[in-house]
Amino acid sequence: MSFPLLTATAAVPAIGAIATAAVPAAKRTVAKWLALLFSLATLVLAAVVAVRFTPGAKGPFQLTESHAWIRSFGVRYELGVDGIAVALIALTALLVPFVILAGWHDADPMEGPEPNRRWRPTQGFFALILAVEAMVVISFEATDVFLFYIFFEAMLIPMYFLIGGFGDRAGSGGEEHSASLRSQAAVKFLLYNLAGGLIMLAAVIGLYAATADQLGSGTFSLTEIVQARADGKLALGTGTERLLFLGFFFAFAVKAPLWPLHTWLPGAMGESTAPVAVLITAVVDKVGTFAMLRFCLQLFPEASSWATPVILVLALVSILYGALLAVGQRDIKRLIAYASISHFGFIIMGIFAMTSQGQGGATLYMVNHGISTAALMLVAGFLISRRGSRLIADYGGVQKAAPVLAGTFLVGGLATLSLPGLAPFVSEFLVLVGTFSRYPAVGIVATVGIVLAALYVLVLYQRTMTGPVKSEVRAMPDLKARELAVVAPLIALLLFLGVYPKPLTDLVNPAVDHTLSVVDQHDPRPDVPVKADAEAAK
Amino acid sequence: MENLIALLVAAPLAGAALLLCGGRRLDRAGHWIGTLFALASFALAVPLFTELLGRDAEQRTLHQHLFSWIPVGGFQADVAFQLDQLSMTFVLLITGVGSLIHIYSVGYMEHDERRRRFFGYLNLFLAAMLLLVLADNYLLLYVGWEGVGLASYLLIGFWQHKPSAATAAKKAFLVNRVGDMGLSIAIMLMFTTFGTFAFGPVLGAVGETSEGKLTAIGLMLLLAACGKSAQVPLQSWLGDAMEGPTPVSALIHAATMVTAGVYLITRSGAIFNGAPDAQTAVVVVGAVTLLFGAIVGCAKDDIKKALAGSTMSQIGYMILAAGLGPIGYAFAIMHLVTHGFFKAGLFLGAGSVMHGMNDEVDMRRYGGLRKYMPVTFITFGLGYLAIIGFPGLSGFFSKDKIIEAAFAKGGTEGWILGGAALLGAAITAFYMTRVMLMTFFGEERWRKAPTPSPAEPSVEPAAETRGEYTPPHPHESPKSMTIPMILLAVGSVAAGGLFSINEAFVKWLEPVTDFEHGHPPLSASAITTATIVVMVLGVALAYFQYGRKPVPAVAPRGSLLTRAARRDLLQDDFNHAVLVRGGGELTRALVQLDHSVVDGAVRGTAASMGGLSGRLRQVQNGFARSYAVQMLGGAAVLIAATLLMRGV
């Protein structure tokens, strides 16, 4: 038996979480370094996964591990990755060290006498982040539906405490007021996601029942179910398949927020600290869109095609609605949250366009959106921590006082509006082209999103960074070394993946082709293919 | 040799990266570093040009394939370059005029503490524009296209502590993005039609598809061109863009940016040739804009804004010519090049005037400056003669050809277009003479303290009117500024004539753009005579109004048209009322809606489903556990029901 690489990639942050939590109260700094160390170790393992993975090799999943777990219910501990999962694991492992570094002081105890000496917020903060990482990673790896479900749900617990327990020290109504807003946001997050998850649980069990019915013994294994469908051994009735699909999709649409299930996100991202907001939108929410690709489409291909028109319309609404609401926000972090809703609309649109450009683009979009939102949100967090306010109107002329901060903020913003040359452009254009080639009207309307994106980004930049220097802003210090160490690599990555995304597309393309073949969809052919001429010209 | 192509783009790009990331260490030498990288690109362009000249006319296309950029299924985008006669022309203009503007800026921006950054942005501008004209496919062109938008955003808003500059920069980017939508959709259409968006294959396969498809692609490309080239209806950003430092205006108006739309249409000539309806749209846009810009140019008292109206109008001529098909492409590009010389010269001249006049831009505060700045006067004057089409100077050759081609379109259309082009020539002569007279001739109005303008009563009286007024001391600019102006004046004088010897320019471009001789209903000499006559009329009219009579220091109220023209023919008012106000209302309404209706509906559904509406208050107090337990209970019931139904 070979080394269980995938298990290790999830286990290392889990062990890190326990180790960090166990650090004594007085040794806060040790806990921080420990957390950073474990997150870096996870990054190394994720890199090993990426290297050991062979894009385009035979079979849907690689580096597989499989053990019986709950025999009576056919639940297996089954892990495996395709190119999409490898890309998202890499994204997660990459972002968490930056999240930790950016949140270095976010959980330091308040000044003044400590109310309770046994409460160790710093240790807790970093342990919770690592716990989320572990669960997200295993969600990307699980090929057993039940195993996936457990961690999909379990990650709500650490997220709930991260949102409710740690906020900016920046409320206009005092600490008490912001604590109450925070806990409301956390509860809302929990309720929405629990509701989604519980409906999914019903569908998971329904799926088990159906397989038990037709295959003799029930199974949760994705590969087995897909194989059985292909062999004709398993045939869900149309009605059953649609119901099960909706059960799964509902949970994922809450997590990845799709309009109109999005309303928990602005609160959760607005009230939590910037690093936690990044964790929510860049990492945890990606499990939702990832699961649409892996589970919704592959388990229920016919129902997926059946639901496509409605989902495309909802995605389109998300794109425009999220962008318009972003324009109307007064709070920097809520603005970024609504922008993310718009971007999730693009991702979901790309997935359900059912073309290789659409789904490849959607996968790239997940990665690129993670990096660009992290860059923008973390710089926004640095800005907010300096001034103690999230309101856009409280800023003005920051560019003059802190040019590097303003410059990095602008690059993050330009990535958010998908400027060519930066990574998000590649994915956004692929999604648009992939959608357009099958649904031209949807593609054209979605293009309006690129104008609105420019509007909310540039308005945000103009109001905060340009204009006369406000007196509260005048003495604002520029980015410190630690902060620059967070932002600079993210920006470099945005540039690199914008100019040379080929490593990523090579990784993702075979997995997308596999998904499309399971769903039995083919790219539309051009009217006048001139491919041959192009080859000849070279 | 073709391996040098990428370096053309790489040189200014490296300069930009170095200057923007280099930090304060480079402050002292930053401007020279930037200029050096611009000149390096020009120095690379010259041997490439001689290489092309040395080849047969049909062998003058070089390709360089760097790497595969976005390969996903049938979608294959490459980073690859194509250098042919059309792109070579642009490269020489961009790097040549661009370098001169760099040199000029060394002096002009001398006292700006952020000069290094300014040069970084200038380099970025050149790099983006070079990428735009050297790309061998539409998607890579798009990168340059938006890169130009970014660079102009950064430069227009360079003095971003001024809210007006920051707003103008944002506006330019946004209006351009509307155009970019057109380019995106055009590329998507090409992909679904041809399966590719590389120039060669697409333009070669145009004959195999329907006219409807080509018209759609053509119209989308036109939308893109309207945004970047400031053509009606997307022209509103250009006037505001004057908020940027003057060398930026010269760069945007002469060598880069606004010429991109003309390039796009000329490059896509094969598509337009197959889509007559799209061509009609192009000529209409061109004709309308050339008059629109000219009228706006007549009413502006701000020297830069008058020149901006003029640019709009001149680009209108080029778009008109490009819409005429093979009889016009070459002339569109020829006018673009000559315009590049004289417009850059005029803007640098305006900058030089401002430099000597304490940054005053109001021409009513100028007058009689020819004595104080002789070099500026002469170079500006030559640019002036060139733009109005004075016989023998550059503008004469290129504009006359466009007017001829417009008549040659034939039928009523030809008469309308030709008439519009002639009328435009008359108005051009009028407003440029006005600029010339108000600035360099007449009474020295700057000696007297300014009086508040009744036309704009909202403007606060300037500081000087309240206390003692000290008049400015007009003086000639330093050598680093005047030398570029002199070189550009030489181009303004000679380029048109040189290009026309043996139709050299047309023959050079013909293999790329195709060329047909137009057959206007009037003889060529009749049209030339008419052009000269209307020009003289325009000059005379301006002379009687601004040369014979004293120029009022305060703008008279003016006719309805004048007042509308001062406000850019009310387009901004329309945009503001409909888009800004309307959009603002919409977003505010949506923010309300999101909170009360969408969120409320989801909250309500959740509550009523579980029969928990009475406990909602508890939730808000944070009693998550009880809610969660009830949810769990509900789910358990659901699961049990499912299982029972299945009979497991």
Side-chain angles (χ1 to χ4, degrees):
Chain A
M1 199 187 88
S2 60
F3 179 71
L5 188 57
L6 294 183
T7 302
T9 315
V12 166
I15 296 166
I18 296 166
T20 310
V23 173
K27 314 239 168 178
R28 278 187 288 112
T29 317
V30 175
K32 292 175 184 178
W33 281 103
L34 204 59
L36 188 62
L37 213 65
F38 272 98
S39 72
L40 288 173
T42 315
L43 180 58
V44 171
L45 281 170
V48 175
V49 170
V51 171
R52 294 273 303 278
F53 181 83
T54 327
K58 218 167 162 291
F61 299 113
Q62 299 181 32
L63 305 174
T64 49
E65 296 168 28
S66 182
H67 307 280
W69 184 21
I70 312 173
R71 280 179 206 279
S72 50
F73 279 108
V75 178
R76 299 183 66 81
Y77 178 82
E78 210 173 71
L79 303 180
V81 285
D82 58 3
I84 301 171
V86 171
L88 290 170
I89 291 169
L91 170 75
T92 308
L94 183 86
L95 286 182
V96 169
F98 292 118
V99 164
I100 290 175
L101 206 55
W104 205 247
H105 296 301
D106 282 8
D108 286 354
M110 297 284 191
E111 274 141 51
E114 282 181 43
N116 184 348
R117 294 205 136 264
R118 288 172 63 193
W119 169 231
R120 293 169 300 164
T122 314
Q123 283 82 342
F125 184 73
F126 292 103
L128 287 169
I129 291 176
L130 287 174
V132 171
E133 180 179 22
M135 295 187 201
V136 169
V137 167
I138 207 160
S139 302
F140 288 138
E141 293 169 344
T143 54
D144 182 282
V145 178
F146 197 82
L147 184 68
F148 169 82
Y149 175 77
I150 289 173
F151 288 101
F152 180 77
E153 282 301 89
M155 73 177 83
L156 297 179
I157 300 162
M159 280 316 298
Y160 169 78
F161 288 111
L162 278 173
I163 297 168
F166 305 90
D168 295 321
R169 285 159 205 173
S172 50
E175 178 54 33
E176 199 128 312
H177 180 65
S178 41
S180 124
L181 284 178
R182 214 154 51 219
S183 90
Q184 272 179 40
V187 169
K188 201 166 176 181
F189 161 83
L190 193 64
L191 289 183
Y192 270 67
N193 283 284
L194 266 184
L198 290 174
I199 289 174
M200 181 182 164
L201 179 59
V204 168
I205 292 168
L207 180 70
Y208 175 79
T211 52
D213 218 19
Q214 296 190 19
L215 300 176
S217 66
T219 176
F220 288 106
S221 162
L222 179 65
T223 34
E224 272 181 42
I225 294 173
V226 170
Q227 192 56 45
R229 284 190 70 115
D231 297 345
K233 285 188 205 143
L234 178 68
L236 299 173
T238 314
T240 318
E241 184 179 333
R242 288 177 183 176
L243 271 179
L244 294 179
F245 169 84
L246 288 178
F248 276 73
F249 185 77
F250 184 76
F252 304 149
V254 169
K255 180 119 351 188
L258 181 68
W259 188 88
L261 303 171
H262 64 276
T263 49
W264 64 268
L265 185 72
M269 279 176 73
E271 299 305 328
S272 56
T273 64
V276 173
V278 169
L279 212 55
I280 297 172
T281 186
V283 177
V284 171
D285 287 355
K286 296 297 179 320
V287 182
T289 42
F290 165 81
M292 286 180 197
L293 262 175
R294 178 173 274 187
F295 295 107
C296 278
L297 296 194
Q298 303 197 20
L299 288 174
F300 318 110
E302 272 131 48
S304 300
S305 309
W306 161 75
T308 294
V310 178
I311 294 172
L312 282 179
V313 170
L314 291 179
L316 203 52
V317 172
S318 283
I319 292 172
L320 301 180
Y321 187 90
L324 279 171
L325 270 126
V327 176
Q329 294 305 310
R330 292 179 200 156
D331 175 321
I332 299 174
K333 281 157 92 185
R334 289 179 71 94
L335 188 152
I336 300 173
Y338 277 105
S340 285
I341 290 167
S342 180
H343 289 146
F344 279 113
F346 273 108
I347 297 174
I348 295 171
M349 186 174 87
I351 292 173
F352 282 89
M354 307 277 186
T355 55
S356 54
Q357 290 85 33
Q359 292 189 349
T363 309
L364 255 61
Y365 211 125
M366 293 184 219
V367 175
N368 295 340
H369 170 259
I371 304 169
S372 70
T373 307
L376 186 65
M377 186 53 123
L378 292 178
V379 180
F382 300 149
L383 180 71
I384 290 166
S385 69
R386 282 164 165 69
R387 168 77 176 80
S389 167
R390 301 192 324 238
L391 291 181
I392 295 169
D394 284 346
Y395 296 88
V398 173
Q399 204 279 333
K400 198 104 181 163
V404 179
L405 190 152
T408 51
F409 194 65
L410 182 63
V411 178
L414 293 173
T416 305
L417 65 78
S418 299
L419 188 86
L422 299 172
F425 169 74
V426 175
S427 39
E428 192 161 298
F429 200 84
L430 281 172
V431 165
L432 282 171
V433 124
T435 309
F436 183 87
S437 62
R438 184 153 286 153
Y439 307 97
V442 178
I444 289 175
V445 178
T447 321
V448 176
I450 70 171
V451 178
L452 294 174
L455 185 61
Y456 61 69
V457 168
L458 295 185
V459 167
L460 173 66
Y461 184 80
Q462 184 188 355
R463 295 203 179 139
T464 51
M465 300 297 168
T466 72
V469 186
K470 291 218 167 161
S471 54
E472 296 89 345
V473 166
R474 190 152 296 144
M476 191 176 272
D478 214 332
L479 288 188
K480 293 194 271 283
R482 170 181 63 87
E483 295 167 328
L484 207 59
V486 171
V487 181
L490 292 176
I491 288 178
L493 209 57
L494 284 171
L495 274 167
F496 177 75
L497 290 178
V499 175
Y500 196 62
K502 200 163 171 290
L504 212 49
T505 53
D506 286 349
L507 184 65
V508 165
N509 283 340
V512 167
D513 291 343
H514 171 76
T515 311
L516 283 174
S517 71
V518 171
V519 193
D520 196 22
Q521 299 269 9
H522 305 281
D523 286 348
R525 295 182 64 76
D527 303 354
V528 194
V530 289
K531 201 83 199 108
D533 299 356
E535 305 284 88
K538 278 168 201 165
Chain B
M1 206 64 187
E2 47 271 0
N3 292 336
L4 291 181
I5 302 175
L7 288 178
L8 284 172
V9 184
L13 194 63
L18 188 65
L19 290 174
L20 294 179
C21 303
R24 303 230 159 96
R25 272 158 292 172
L26 297 177
D27 270 357
R28 285 182 56 204
H31 43 289
W32 290 119
I33 295 174
T35 311
L36 207 68
F37 278 102
L39 282 169
S41 192
F42 181 68
L44 283 164
V46 172
L48 280 166
F49 179 54
T50 51
E51 162 83 16
L52 287 196
L53 279 181
R55 294 175 174 222
D56 287 342
E58 302 300 323
Q59 303 293 319
R60 284 179 180 161
T61 304
L62 301 179
H63 289 277
Q64 183 183 11
H65 184 270
L66 275 193
F67 55 88
S68 164
W69 180 28
I70 314 176
V72 177
F75 187 96
Q76 297 287 333
D78 293 335
V79 174
F81 301 109
Q82 171 180 330
L83 182 76
D84 58 10
Q85 292 93 322
L86 181 60
S87 25
M88 191 71 239
T89 309
F90 271 87
V91 167
L92 287 172
L93 178 72
I94 296 163
T95 55
V97 175
S99 298
L100 289 179
I101 294 172
H102 273 74
I103 295 169
Y104 177 92
S105 306
V106 171
Y108 191 86
M109 299 298 284
E110 195 174 351
H111 305 295
D112 198 297
E113 55 172 352
R114 293 161 70 231
R115 181 161 64 162
R116 166 181 57 89
R117 196 178 286 248
F118 183 80
F119 276 83
Y121 295 159
L122 285 187
N123 273 194
L124 183 66
F125 213 145
L126 290 197
M129 192 67 197
L130 288 167
L131 181 61
L132 195 162
V133 299
L134 286 169
D136 93 328
N137 62 73
Y138 283 95
L139 199 69
L140 191 63
L141 177 147
Y142 189 30
V143 177
W145 189 266
E146 284 235 334
V148 167
L150 169 69
S152 67
Y153 169 79
L154 295 169
L155 284 167
I156 294 168
F158 186 72
W159 287 320
Q160 49 179 243
H161 53 276
K162 289 200 316 197
S164 56
T167 307
K170 181 186 69 184
K171 183 175 176 185
F173 196 92
L174 279 176
V175 175
N176 268 290
R177 266 255 153 153
V178 176
D180 296 347
M181 253 178 78
L183 189 52
S184 313
I185 295 174
I187 297 172
M188 293 192 263
L189 272 166
M190 287 176 200
F191 177 68
T192 54
T193 311
F194 305 108
T196 173
F197 34 79
F199 291 152
V202 168
L203 300 174
V206 161
E208 292 165 46
T209 187
S210 67
E211 195 186 312
K213 276 269 162 75
L214 292 179
T215 308
I217 297 175
L219 289 176
M220 286 299 118
L221 291 173
L222 174 63
L223 177 64
C226 282
K228 201 71 45 189
S229 290
Q231 299 293 294
V232 174
L234 296 180
Q235 85 294 358
S236 66
W237 64 270
L238 191 69
D240 296 5
M242 293 300 121
E243 288 290 340
T246 309
V248 175
S249 310
L251 199 56
I252 290 180
H253 290 248
T256 60
M257 189 100 181
V258 294
T259 56
V262 184
Y263 173 79
L264 184 68
I265 293 180
T266 311
R267 175 59 80 196
S268 315
I271 293 173
F272 284 94
N273 293 345
D277 291 342
Q279 279 188 318
T280 308
V282 175
V283 291
V284 168
V285 165
V288 168
T289 311
L290 83 86
L291 292 175
F292 186 109
I295 293 170
V296 169
C298 293
K300 294 288 186 186
D301 289 335
D302 177 328
I303 186 169
K304 285 172 74 182
K305 292 202 169 165
L307 290 177
S310 148
T311 300
M312 211 186 278
S313 170
Q314 298 300 315
I315 304 281
Y317 274 104
M318 299 169 208
I319 296 279
L320 168 65
L324 295 170
I327 58 172
Y329 293 131
F331 299 130
I333 302 301
M334 182 158 134
H335 193 51
L336 192 151
V337 175
T338 57
H339 176 260
F341 286 117
F342 55 68
K343 189 49 69 64
L346 288 169
F347 265 112
L348 296 189
S352 170
V353 170
M354 288 161 58
H355 197 73
M357 292 288 288
N358 297 347
D359 287 326
E360 177 64 72
V361 290
D362 185 356
M363 292 189 290
R364 292 184 189 278
R365 306 277 315 129
Y366 292 168
L369 292 177
R370 67 181 184 284
K371 281 181 277 181
Y372 305 96
M373 354 183 134
V375 182
T376 306
F377 169 63
I378 292 170
T379 54
F380 195 93
L382 290 171
Y384 155 76
L385 290 176
I387 194 174
I388 65 170
F390 193 83
L393 273 72
S394 287
F396 169 76
F397 293 100
S398 50
K399 198 189 288 178
D400 186 56
K401 288 289 179 195
I402 293 180
I403 297 173
E404 236 175 74
F407 275 109
K409 172 96 174 153
T412 332
E413 247 181 280
W415 283 99
I416 295 174
L417 295 174
L422 265 182
L423 182 60
I427 308 178
T428 306
F430 175 82
Y431 69 73
M432 282 311 301
T433 309
R434 176 177 175 267
V435 168
M436 197 66 196
L437 291 172
M438 283 174 86
T439 306
F440 293 104
F441 293 88
E443 194 195 341
E444 297 177 352
R445 293 180 297 279
W446 40 270
R447 289 199 181 279
K448 271 187 259 153
T451 35
S453 153
E456 292 167 52
S458 61
V459 175
E460 279 188 34
E464 301 90 61
T465 54
R466 281 185 258 121
E468 287 280 293
Y469 174 69
T470 38
H473 298 283
H475 55 85
E476 191 53 271
S477 300
K479 285 251 159 41
S480 64
M481 289 167 69
T482 51
I483 290 172
M485 286 153 60
I486 293 167
L487 290 173
L488 287 168
V490 171
S492 314
V493 172
L498 277 179
F499 293 164
S500 300
I501 297 170
N502 266 333
E503 293 196 316
F505 194 82
V506 172
K507 282 187 186 143
W508 157 252
L509 279 185
E510 192 184 343
V512 185
T513 61
D514 241 350
F515 180 69
E516 276 171 31
H517 271 287
H519 300 288
L522 303 165
S523 72
S525 56
I527 293 176
T528 307
T529 317
T531 314
I532 295 172
V533 169
V534 297
M535 179 208 53
V536 172
L537 274 176
V539 172
L541 207 62
Y543 175 70
F544 284 114
Q545 196 174 342
Y546 299 97
R548 295 287 294 272
K549 290 184 264 178
V551 178
V554 174
R557 187 151 184 272
S559 67
L560 202 63
L561 179 66
T562 315
R563 273 180 282 146
R566 275 193 199 122
R567 300 183 69 88
D568 298 322
L569 296 177
L570 304 182
Q571 220 245 343
D572 267 349
D573 302 74
F574 173 82
N575 284 351
H576 192 80
V578 176
L579 298 177
V580 180
R581 293 265 303 280
E585 292 298 323
L586 177 68
T587 51
R588 263 190 293 284
L590 279 180
V591 171
Q592 250 324 303
L593 180 96
D594 195 54
H595 184 68
S596 51
V597 182
V598 180
D599 196 20
V602 178
R603 274 189 312 228
T605 319
S608 56
M609 262 170 58
L612 293 170
S613 45
R615 304 199 178 194
L616 200 59
R617 214 175 302 123
Q618 287 191 344
V619 172
Q620 283 176 343
N621 291 337
F623 286 92
R625 257 168 305 163
S626 67
Y627 205 62
V629 166
Q630 284 167 58
M631 280 274 204
L632 202 65
V637 174
L638 256 171
I639 293 158
T642 325
L643 290 177
L644 278 176
M645 262 160 48
R646 297 274 144 216
V648 175

